[in-house]
Amino acid sequence: MTTASEAAASAGGLLLPVPDEDGAPFWEYAAQGELRVQACAACGRLRFPPRPCCPHCRSFDSEWRRMSGRGRIWSYVRPHPPLLPAYAAQAPYNVILVELADAPHIRLAGNLVTSADAPLDSVDPARLRIGARVHVVFTETGGMAVPRWVLEKS
Amino acid sequence: MAATLKDATAIVGIGQTAFAKRLPQSEKELACRAILAALADAGIEPSEVDAFASYTMEETDEVEVAKAIGAGDVTFFSKIGYGGGGSCATVGHLASAVATGQATVGVAWRSRKRGSGPRPWKNTAVQLPTPGQWTRPFGLLRPADEIGMLARRYMHEYGATRDHLFNVAMACRNRANANPAAMMYERPLTREMYMTSRMISDPLCLFDNCLETDGALACVIVSAERARDCRQKPVYVHSVAQGLPAQHHGMVNYWNDDPLSGPAWTAARHLWKQADFGPQDVDVAQIYDAFTPLIPLSLEGYGFCGRGEGAAFTEGGALETGGRLPINTGGGGLSEAYVHGFNLINEGVKQLRGVSTAQVPDAATCLVTAGEGVPTSAILLRS
């Protein structure tokens, strides 16, 4: 079994997601290049983060619904050191919170980059703006597919 | 209802160690020193202590403390989760225990070596499974990053500016400048220092963040009846509440309908429902300030102003001595010491005893709050 630190080493020191039982399907779909969100199979309501049962109708049946991959920046920060070494090396970088176009109350943390495999600080900070339209891309790192976000061409 | 907590118990002793970036003593020793100081302040023998409450993040457990200070048989002990969200709940749990006869002398404490110890977010690997899997890999590593995200959105929605955050930092620093025990005693802050300081997580700069502190504090809770015979003027626990809102997600409360109305709103509703007075009657407040944006959010949550009005509330010296609502009169987590908010409890007691270094004249009511953004707690104190 690969430990978190071994996986992180292969991802250039960046932390990799460690899926739990509820979250595993998200990462499995990501590996197929799909952004999917857990939905209740009984009442149809989407929920995030994933969990065993629906907080609305209490059904334990769920499915994973594919999203368009489009969204808007709800908020963002630019972390400066002191940070973990791999992150400090790219700081100040951005972390954005994306509200999904299909489900605005579902907001995914991520990074705005110029292309899927570009560094976390590849976007000019002047282009960071709440409300900016973005879409998802996936980068392969440490044996996982991790979502990143790029600006929609305006 | 069979019983009420309202004024049934009182804080009769407070104690603290020095606050510094580095202290030589262990967390256990600091805890014992603060607890013994609080008991001496109350005039109560350690052998009478039969209840303890602290935080789940507290390293020294009640077994160690009880045998070190020579407590008697202990019949109640409690630990509160969620870091700084636990501070006021320690008092609340002991008040409940004493009021219902489960114990007679309760001690709440927090001892921490955050100044010389490792930063807790250094250990992010163990936090990677839920909910860390959704945030940590993207470099949202520290509480400052997580709260910075909410702060940026708050500024965007309501026109709050860095000047508003400066008002908060300044009020706390000004009070600390009068408090010889504060880490920022005799260390004034200026607007220029604030505006030119380094960023920690833009939009939050150095002075928007609490201090890295070693230190410990404690307080002693007994029944109102017993309190009348103690050495100090009793400070009554008038109302207590905890708050974990529906669909809350912890510090990264990004996935519910309204991330900007956090646990403060939930705690406040219960706190005021149990009280004989409301926000307009609060003489002085100690509001949890790990980060400056928590103050406007809490001012709104606890009902001192309307939604979105918290930043504007800070204008015109409102938070300063003589202002509309003096806050964090010892300097708070931003400028006195960051010991997970326990200094705010003891400062509330000092105000109602009339012995604060930034005394609000005739203060008779004080709100104390715990960490916002995490499951929280609050107490209303009265003299």
Side-chain angles (χ1 to χ4, degrees):
Chain A
M1 193 182 136
T2 310
T3 66
S5 57
E6 284 164 0
S10 64
L14 297 182
L15 298 167
L16 283 171
V18 176
D20 62 352
E21 195 172 323
D22 297 320
F26 179 95
W27 301 107
E28 287 159 15
Y29 285 116
Q32 299 166 38
E34 295 180 2
L35 185 71
R36 291 196 181 233
V37 170
Q38 190 184 32
C40 176
C43 76
R45 299 272 293 264
L46 293 167
R47 60 181 189 257
F48 188 87
R51 69 203 70 160
C53 70
C54 175
H56 308 290
C57 76
R58 281 83 193 183
S59 168
F60 281 79
D61 297 326
S62 69
E63 59 193 21
W64 286 78
R65 199 171 301 165
R66 188 162 186 183
M67 300 285 108
S68 68
R70 290 182 295 110
R72 299 197 310 170
I73 295 178
W74 188 83
S75 188
Y76 63 94
V77 291
R78 296 186 68 230
H80 292 242
L83 290 159
L84 297 175
Y87 292 86
Q90 299 185 46
Y93 56 89
N94 68 70
V95 189
I96 61 173
L97 204 58
V98 178
E99 54 181 359
L100 298 183
D102 317 285
H105 293 325
I106 291 177
R107 307 177 184 96
L108 302 179
N111 307 104
L112 186 69
V113 290
T114 52
S115 64
D117 300 324
L120 302 186
D121 60 350
S122 54
V123 169
D124 179 353
R127 303 198 68 188
L128 286 166
R129 185 176 58 79
I130 288 177
R133 293 178 188 284
V134 296
H135 69 265
V136 74
V137 291
F138 293 90
T139 185
E140 297 284 330
T141 176
M144 288 197 79
V146 175
R148 302 260 189 258
W149 301 86
V150 296
L151 287 166
E152 293 272 16
K153 299 220 171 18
S154 52
Chain B
M1 203 181 296
T4 174
L5 284 188
K6 192 186 294 178
D7 304 326
T9 62
I11 299 176
V12 292
I14 53 174
Q16 67 189 51
T17 66
F19 304 130
K21 181 93 175 170
R22 282 186 175 72
L23 293 174
Q25 300 92 345
S26 68
E27 283 182 346
K28 190 193 294 187
E29 179 176 338
L30 292 171
C32 293
R33 288 185 179 278
I35 290 167
L36 290 173
L39 288 164
D41 183 53
I44 293 177
E45 288 299 318
S47 58
E48 282 197 72
V49 175
D50 56 8
F52 288 103
S54 195
Y55 307 51
T56 56
M57 286 189 180
E58 171 63 35
E59 293 290 328
T60 309
D61 65 32
E62 52 277 335
V63 172
E64 295 298 311
V65 168
K67 68 185 175 192
I69 68 164
D73 289 346
V74 175
T75 55
F76 181 94
F77 37 95
S78 172
K79 288 281 186 77
I80 324 293
Y82 309 103
S87 59
C88 294
T90 61
V91 173
H93 284 209
L94 291 175
S96 302
V98 170
T100 54
Q102 297 176 77
T104 56
V105 177
V107 166
W109 89 94
R110 181 73 172 108
S111 174
R112 202 170 192 223
K113 294 189 75 171
R114 171 71 180 272
S116 54
R119 291 180 163 92
W121 53 266
K122 280 278 191 189
N123 196 17
T124 45
V126 299
Q127 302 165 6
L128 278 172
T130 302
Q133 66 184 309
W134 310 113
T135 56
R136 298 282 184 253
F138 309 108
L140 205 62
L141 302 173
R142 310 161 297 182
D145 307 318
E146 295 165 337
I147 296 298
M149 193 73 88
L150 291 179
R152 172 99 59 195
R153 182 70 193 190
Y154 180 78
M155 294 163 91
H156 172 81
E157 281 199 26
Y158 297 117
T161 65
R162 291 192 65 212
D163 272 304
H164 291 118
L165 301 182
F166 167 68
N167 290 341
V168 172
M170 191 65 181
C172 292
R173 184 61 68 92
N174 285 339
R175 301 297 84 74
N177 289 163
N179 175 9
M183 290 175 74
M184 293 295 148
Y185 180 58
E186 292 183 327
R187 292 180 66 180
L189 176 68
T190 66
R191 187 176 181 283
E192 190 191 356
M193 286 165 66
Y194 177 90
M195 290 299 170
T196 58
S197 71
R198 65 188 172 88
M199 283 290 167
I200 300 297
S201 195
D202 187 344
L204 302 183
C205 73
L206 179 66
F207 296 112
D208 292 312
N209 290 263
C210 58
L211 301 169
E212 304 283 3
T213 303
D214 285 4
L217 300 106
C219 70
V220 181
I221 291 132
V222 300
S223 71
E225 190 178 22
R226 170 78 186 265
R228 285 192 284 273
D229 298 327
C230 288
R231 185 175 290 163
Q232 300 283 356
K233 177 183 169 189
V235 170
Y236 295 98
V237 181
H238 183 67
S239 180
V240 305
Q242 290 181 267
L244 194 177
Q247 292 299 307
H248 181 68
H249 293 274
M251 195 90 91
V252 286
N253 192 35
Y254 305 149
W255 300 298
N256 61 20
D257 289 351
D258 184 7
L260 294 180
S261 75
W265 275 255
T266 302
R269 276 192 293 275
H270 186 75
L271 193 73
W272 296 125
K273 197 170 79 179
Q274 307 296 318
D276 289 346
F277 56 92
Q280 69 281 359
D281 305 309
V282 169
D283 296 326
V284 57
Q286 316 296 336
I287 302 180
Y288 195 90
D289 58 343
F291 307 100
T292 56
L294 300 184
I295 299 295
L297 288 170
S298 297
L299 290 170
E300 296 173 17
Y302 286 97
F304 293 102
C305 57
R307 173 71 186 262
E309 296 173 354
F313 188 100
T314 69
E315 294 170 1
L319 307 180
E320 304 279 346
T321 302
R324 192 166 154 199
L325 183 71
I327 66 158
N328 302 2
T329 44
L334 288 164
S335 282
E336 183 188 29
Y338 184 63
V339 194
H340 261 158
F342 212 106
N343 53 323
L344 300 176
I345 298 171
N346 282 14
E347 176 61 21
V349 172
K350 289 173 194 171
Q351 279 287 345
L352 300 188
R353 286 180 179 179
V355 300
S356 169
T357 51
Q359 185 62 42
V360 171
D362 304 320
T365 57
C366 180
L367 168 70
V368 186
T369 77
E372 174 59 353
V374 293
T376 192
S377 53
I379 48 177
L380 281 175
L381 302 176
R382 77 183 317 176
S383 56

